Amino acid sequence: MKFMLLPLFLFFSCSKDSPAPRHAVYHWESTYQLFPKEEQWLERHAIERIYLRLFDIDWDESLGQPIPVGPLQVPDSLPLTERELVPVFFLTNRSFAQLPESGIDTLVARMIRKTKTKLRADLGNPLVKEWQFDCDWTEETRERYFQFLQAMDRELKKEGIVLSATIRLHQVKYHQKTGVPPVDRGMLMFYNMSDVADPETSNSILDLGAAKNYYYNFDSYPLPLDLALPLFRWGVVFREGKMVRLINGLGPEALRDESRFVFRDSAHVELQKSTYLDGYYLYEGDEIRLEWVSAAMLRSAVRDLNRALPRQPEWVCFYHLAPETIKQFAHDDLEAIWNDLDR
């Protein structure tokens, strides 16, 4: 008979004297334009920080180097904000798989130059204390990615800017194998924890059963961890059993036309005939799995995290700020989630 050791997190708790987590939100849209309802949402929830994706870094085969792609568009009429902004950069694994060590300093210098220009010219020199890097590194890319972070840290420390990196659950549980990025803080991304491409997955965004398999080694993880929780939803499109695309923001209200869509249950929809949906052409027989999170699911997640995390996060950040976020989650529900994390 086998006995399973209880996870160490069950024996840790946070001090009641810890300050309440501060409120933040990610902005991952292609255009940074805050409409009145979004501004009201930020004010009402006392959002102090916006983690703002500025651009991605991807490998360009023709140039033989990593380049910025998908830069954030900022309208000329954007009002200045007193909120702190954290520039965020998504970096592809293939960039570090291809990047030679000799190219690291050049990449760092170009990113710093481009970022400073964008912050000054487009965003009016906002308050910036931290930069964040988002890369789901692998064993193959870890060494080069970590070298990049060390080089970036040497430059940004001259200006008093700290570095943070996104951290997945498996990178905490297996940190002795995956390594710990050389940064000041980590942002625990508490979502996308199951295989979205698997037709048998029920909800890849927030799977609390899957998450419980990773509640180990938080007590020995050396970085202080902030926390990101999901507010987004999407539709996963399958064709002949294979995932073909994600449709961000898709909800059941867009699928009420019974001549085109048939609900097998609340989360699974079959196309009755070929049609356009959100700009994509889908075919008769395609299947859509709707995935979303609810306030009740998030509160269950927080209860688990309160046991798992030995230290209370300084920042709790919702992903992400978008029109459907404001519509789908009531003010009181979000406040309750933040309050649950205040131990």
Side-chain angles (χ1 to χ4, degrees):
M1 185 176 185
K2 295 181 179 180
F3 294 90
M4 182 177 293
L5 293 175
L6 288 175
L8 288 176
F9 73 79
L10 291 174
F11 300 99
F12 286 87
S13 61
C14 288
S15 169
K16 293 292 184 181
D17 296 330
S18 300
R22 300 167 73 181
H23 298 187
V25 69
Y26 275 95
H27 184 286
W28 214 262
E29 302 285 281
S30 58
T31 301
Y32 185 49
Q33 188 169 10
L34 302 180
F35 296 101
K37 287 186 178 180
E38 292 170 314
E39 285 284 6
Q40 293 167 11
W41 188 90
L42 294 170
E43 289 291 337
R44 194 175 186 196
H45 289 289
I47 302 295
E48 298 180 56
R49 253 188 189 183
I50 298 176
Y51 287 78
L52 184 66
R53 188 201 68 87
L54 287 191
F55 52 85
D56 303 338
I57 293 292
D58 197 8
W59 186 261
D60 187 286
E61 290 290 350
S62 62
L63 296 175
Q65 63 182 12
I67 63 170
V69 295
L72 180 71
Q73 302 300 310
V74 183
D76 293 337
S77 59
L78 181 74
L80 300 181
T81 180
E82 295 182 358
R83 293 183 184 86
E84 182 183 346
L85 295 185
V86 177
V88 183
F89 312 90
F90 173 73
L91 307 106
T92 64
N93 256 314
R94 66 178 183 175
S95 295
F96 293 106
Q98 302 273 13
L99 181 67
E101 184 176 355
S102 59
I104 290 176
D105 287 343
T106 299
L107 175 60
V108 167
R110 287 176 175 173
M111 285 186 67
I112 290 176
R113 184 165 59 249
K114 182 175 180 63
T115 299
K116 287 184 175 180
T117 298
K118 198 161 190 65
L119 291 173
R120 180 179 64 252
D122 294 347
L123 295 163
N125 281 327
L127 175 63
V128 172
K129 297 180 180 178
E130 177 181 321
W131 287 22
Q132 186 172 99
F133 300 90
D134 180 18
C135 179
D136 193 7
W137 73 91
T138 63
E139 186 174 347
E140 177 190 15
T141 59
R142 177 182 65 187
E143 181 179 0
R144 196 68 77 236
Y145 174 50
F146 286 9
Q147 289 174 333
F148 161 82
L149 291 174
Q150 289 170 333
M152 184 67 76
D153 183 65
R154 285 195 297 269
E155 295 303 315
L156 294 184
K157 280 293 190 294
K158 298 173 184 177
E159 304 176 36
I161 294 174
V162 302
L163 268 63
S164 64
T166 57
I167 307 294
R168 276 70 179 176
L169 283 170
H170 72 91
Q171 292 164 345
V172 175
K173 181 177 180 179
Y174 301 111
H175 69 264
Q176 292 185 343
K177 178 180 179 181
T178 63
V180 178
V183 294
D184 301 283
R185 308 188 62 81
M187 177 69 79
L188 181 65
M189 314 303 280
F190 198 77
Y191 51 84
N192 293 359
M193 50 191 63
S194 298
D195 185 0
V196 67
D198 185 348
E200 300 302 316
T201 295
S202 59
N203 190 337
S204 66
I205 297 175
L206 190 61
D207 185 336
L208 298 183
K212 289 178 181 177
N213 295 321
Y214 294 94
Y215 289 153
Y216 295 82
N217 297 331
F218 279 93
D219 57 299
S220 60
Y221 194 72
L223 290 180
L225 291 174
D226 298 313
L227 177 64
L229 294 171
L231 296 185
F232 63 95
R233 60 182 184 173
W234 57 30
V236 190
V237 181
F238 290 90
R239 184 169 301 143
E240 297 179 352
K242 294 183 178 180
M243 174 185 156
V244 293
R245 71 176 68 258
L246 289 173
I247 301 179
N248 289 314
L250 186 65
E253 67 278 358
L255 305 172
R256 295 304 183 194
D257 183 353
E258 295 181 358
S259 70
R260 295 184 294 160
F261 311 106
V262 172
F263 279 79
R264 297 205 311 267
D265 55 43
S266 62
H268 295 86
V269 183
E270 185 174 343
L271 268 75
Q272 293 295 96
K273 62 181 180 181
S274 300
T275 185
Y276 279 99
L277 179 62
D278 199 33
Y280 299 107
Y281 193 74
L282 306 184
Y283 293 90
E284 179 182 350
D286 285 356
E287 297 183 356
I288 302 173
R289 183 178 71 223
L290 295 175
E291 297 186 357
W292 67 92
V293 295
S294 66
M297 293 165 64
L298 288 171
R299 296 195 74 177
S300 293
V302 166
R303 284 194 293 271
D304 290 344
L305 285 164
N306 275 338
R307 294 191 293 269
L309 298 175
R311 295 179 295 274
Q312 184 168 267
E314 180 181 352
W315 293 95
V316 175
C317 186
F318 281 126
Y319 182 95
H320 63 112
L321 181 62
E324 63 265 20
T325 301
I326 297 170
K327 295 178 183 177
Q328 296 299 320
F329 290 88
H331 169 80
D332 290 346
D333 287 337
L334 295 184
E335 289 299 310
I337 293 163
W338 265 309
N339 290 337
D340 287 346
L341 282 160
D342 181 13
R343 297 173 286 174

